[in-house]
Amino acid sequence: MKTLCFLPLAALLALPAMVRAQNELSNFSATGRGGVANSFAEGYQAIGVNPANLGRNGQAKVSFTIGEVGIGVASRSLSKSFFERIIFERTESIAPADKAALQNGLADRDAFNLNVDATTLGLAISLPNGLGSIAVSNRQRISAHLALNRNAADVVVNGKSAASLQPYYPTTGAATLPPPLLSEFLDGTAIQMAWTSEYNIAYGLRVLDKLGFKLSAGIGYRYIQGIGIADIRAEGSDLTAYSSLAPVFSADYGALVNSPDFNYKNGAVLSPVGSGHGADLGLSAEIGKFLQVSASLTDLGTMTWTGNVVTATNQQLQPTSATGIETYDVLKEVLQQFDADQQNIFEYQAQQKRSASLPAKVRLGVGFRLSSLFEAGVDFTAPLNKVSGNLTAPFVGLGLDFKPTGWLRLSSGVSNGAGYGTGVPLGITLVTPIWEAGISSRDVTGYFSEKNPYYSLGLGFLRFKIGGQN
């Protein structure tokens, strides 16, 4: 049986072979500001950020998109040159010196982070008579996070010969120590992936309109279909380990298929294996002519995974028959090491269903609109839980928009956190009274950094606006 835990990670991390990028939002304008969005987002782009922004005056009467996407990958510990070997030289044999470098590089709390965020459809309509605005969208969200402690990195790279295994399962001689619990051996390790398809609806309304102070409130609802999840976390004395994967991941569950506790899903490749409901809540205030202050809670809710659910308990460390990594195709070889048909450090069990919280976040923003040509904003976003798909750390960013001409908008700023370090974004958007199209990078320095490679790209194919401001 193919691995139950590392398969989704490997499938997603293969994406950098096609695109070198990183983005938190499919909003390409936000990408150009380093993800700063709470005070800027309007129309359908307010979905998932702050639905209260839909209640502001000056919204376009109608705005919609035929495609916005952000895709990205980064590492805080692997070197750029090694990182690119994993992507472009996968079939080459790995040198012993590189195995040592790989082991050190993987032993980091942000060894690998991936985000894919695509809006396939977005539409917002401003209602007449001051009744606010309503927006709908479909969005695909994929995220992956890899953090290994020294023991986990040692086992992944060296297999049964790992020095960390020798006291418990030596390759020669007798064991000198009893095997520890997995939570102790893997403490500080996190292997997480989530892929969901969202159907969103949001509404915002101005609830207070006074001279010098205007307040809008908003609410959003989403129905979520789960394509896949893997969540393995060891922290202190606690271990979380489960996965639920759609047929697109081609997982072979072997004898577990016959278990009465296993709900086997093997239909269409993207057949959902889970579903859930989520909500966003927001407030947005306009103070005077230039200042905007926003606050929101997003991704409040729960997912229930019901297909192909497997779990591992906080059991004793098991021996492994894996021989370690032999080529630069690191992801494939990690897969093979955790094949459940061979002996490895986990033992898996089937389960009917598994419920988990959505990746809830609190978002705060302050915006300054000095003129129709220049706008600036500061964002702070913090995760409210550690579930798969959430930020690994708080995010803070400063974003700037500048229009040197009526048809061109430039974006930049600086951002830090969320597992990606400090970034200097850049965005270029072509603007007309009816449509916009643009390209952006959340960190232009990451393309050249040897120590912290960070590839980011946001694409807005076409965004249409009818009425309102440019």
Side-chain angles (χ1 to χ4, degrees):
M1 181 176 77
K2 292 287 191 276
T3 176
L4 305 177
C5 299
F6 282 84
L7 175 60
L9 181 68
L12 293 176
L13 296 186
L15 287 172
M18 298 176 286
V19 183
R20 291 156 52 151
Q22 153 59 30
N23 188 31
E24 179 190 351
L25 301 170
S26 55
N27 179 344
F28 65 89
S29 299
T31 306
R33 297 186 297 266
V36 176
N38 208 299
S39 61
F40 288 89
E42 295 182 344
Y44 62 86
Q45 292 183 333
I47 292 174
V49 178
N50 191 337
N53 291 357
L54 289 165
R56 293 177 180 169
N57 286 345
Q59 302 273 329
K61 293 181 179 180
V62 177
S63 64
F64 65 96
T65 185
I66 60 173
E68 296 184 22
V69 62
I71 309 172
V73 63
S75 175
R76 299 295 307 280
S77 53
L78 293 169
S79 68
K80 181 174 181 287
S81 56
F82 199 100
F83 191 68
E84 292 182 344
R85 286 182 182 179
I86 293 174
I87 297 172
F88 301 113
E89 301 177 16
R90 296 190 298 275
T91 60
E92 299 295 324
S93 296
I94 191 168
D98 277 353
K99 292 185 71 171
L102 177 62
Q103 181 179 336
N104 288 331
L106 290 178
D108 189 87
R109 65 179 183 178
D110 285 304
F112 217 110
N113 287 304
L114 170 74
N115 287 82
V116 180
D117 194 347
T119 297
T120 59
L121 170 67
L123 170 67
I125 299 175
S126 182
L127 303 176
N129 301 320
L131 294 179
S133 297
I134 190 168
V136 295
S137 74
N138 170 254
R139 186 166 64 165
Q140 301 292 316
R141 298 171 69 180
I142 302 174
S143 64
H145 169 61
L146 177 62
L148 303 178
N149 72 357
R150 290 287 176 182
N151 291 338
D154 187 13
V155 172
V156 164
V157 174
N158 300 303
K160 62 185 178 183
S161 298
S164 57
L165 289 178
Q166 298 310 301
Y168 321 110
Y169 301 106
T171 51
T172 59
T176 58
L177 292 173
L181 290 174
L182 283 172
S183 60
E184 177 184 344
F185 186 77
L186 299 176
D187 187 21
T189 294
I191 301 166
Q192 298 178 301
M193 181 283 298
W195 180 358
T196 58
S197 179
E198 301 178 350
Y199 298 88
N200 297 282
I201 184 168
Y203 174 71
L205 176 68
R206 176 159 290 177
V207 295
L208 185 63
D209 193 341
K210 300 292 185 180
L211 182 64
F213 184 81
K214 298 172 175 57
L215 180 67
S216 299
I219 186 169
Y221 165 77
R222 64 178 52 91
Y223 172 70
I224 308 167
Q225 292 182 325
I227 308 302
I229 191 168
D231 195 352
I232 304 169
R233 286 172 285 135
E235 187 173 2
S237 60
D238 297 324
L239 177 77
T240 296
Y242 74 96
S243 72
S244 175
L245 306 175
V248 67
F249 291 97
S250 301
D252 178 3
Y253 292 95
L256 286 178
V257 172
N258 301 318
S259 170
D261 295 323
F262 193 68
N263 181 20
Y264 184 48
K265 295 280 189 178
N266 192 31
V269 293
L270 291 178
S271 296
V273 289
S275 63
H277 306 273
D280 303 326
L281 302 172
L283 293 172
S284 181
E286 298 173 61
I287 303 171
K289 296 182 178 180
F290 307 112
L291 180 64
Q292 297 173 338
V293 179
S294 302
S296 60
L297 295 171
T298 61
D299 289 308
L300 305 175
T302 304
M303 283 288 296
T304 300
W305 300 89
T306 56
N308 299 342
V309 179
V310 293
T311 64
T313 60
N314 192 13
Q315 58 203 249
Q316 282 188 330
L317 174 71
Q318 303 296 311
T320 179
S321 59
T323 56
I325 290 175
E326 302 295 338
T327 71
Y328 288 104
D329 199 349
V330 173
L331 307 176
K332 179 181 177 181
E333 300 216 17
V334 169
L335 254 170
Q336 294 173 344
Q337 289 186 43
F338 286 85
D339 191 321
D341 281 344
Q342 70 176 9
Q343 195 175 42
N344 61 68
I345 64 173
F346 281 96
E347 288 184 357
Y348 305 99
Q349 301 86 39
Q351 189 171 328
Q352 282 285 330
K353 64 180 181 179
R354 178 81 180 220
S355 295
S357 297
L358 295 180
K361 293 175 280 291
V362 58
R363 307 179 67 121
L364 305 174
V366 178
F368 307 89
R369 187 178 179 86
L370 301 182
S371 71
S372 61
L373 302 179
F374 182 82
E375 189 172 4
V378 178
D379 263 25
F380 173 79
T381 304
L384 297 178
N385 54 37
K386 296 183 179 181
V387 302
S388 182
N390 213 340
L391 304 179
T392 61
F395 162 88
V396 63
L398 167 66
L400 308 171
D401 272 356
F402 175 59
K403 291 183 67 176
T405 71
W407 55 269
L408 178 65
R409 182 170 64 240
L410 303 177
S411 304
S412 191
V414 63
S415 62
N416 184 270
Y420 292 98
T422 301
V424 178
L426 178 64
I428 301 173
T429 304
L430 301 179
V431 181
T432 77
I434 298 176
W435 60 265
E436 297 179 0
I439 185 170
S440 55
S441 173
R442 193 169 171 184
D443 179 23
V444 293
T445 66
Y447 291 94
F448 312 103
S449 173
E450 177 66 22
K451 293 184 178 180
N452 295 297
Y454 186 175
Y455 303 141
S456 61
L457 185 68
L459 294 173
F461 302 108
L462 275 180
R463 175 194 301 161
F464 295 93
K465 298 168 66 176
I466 302 174
Q469 302 173 354
N470 286 353

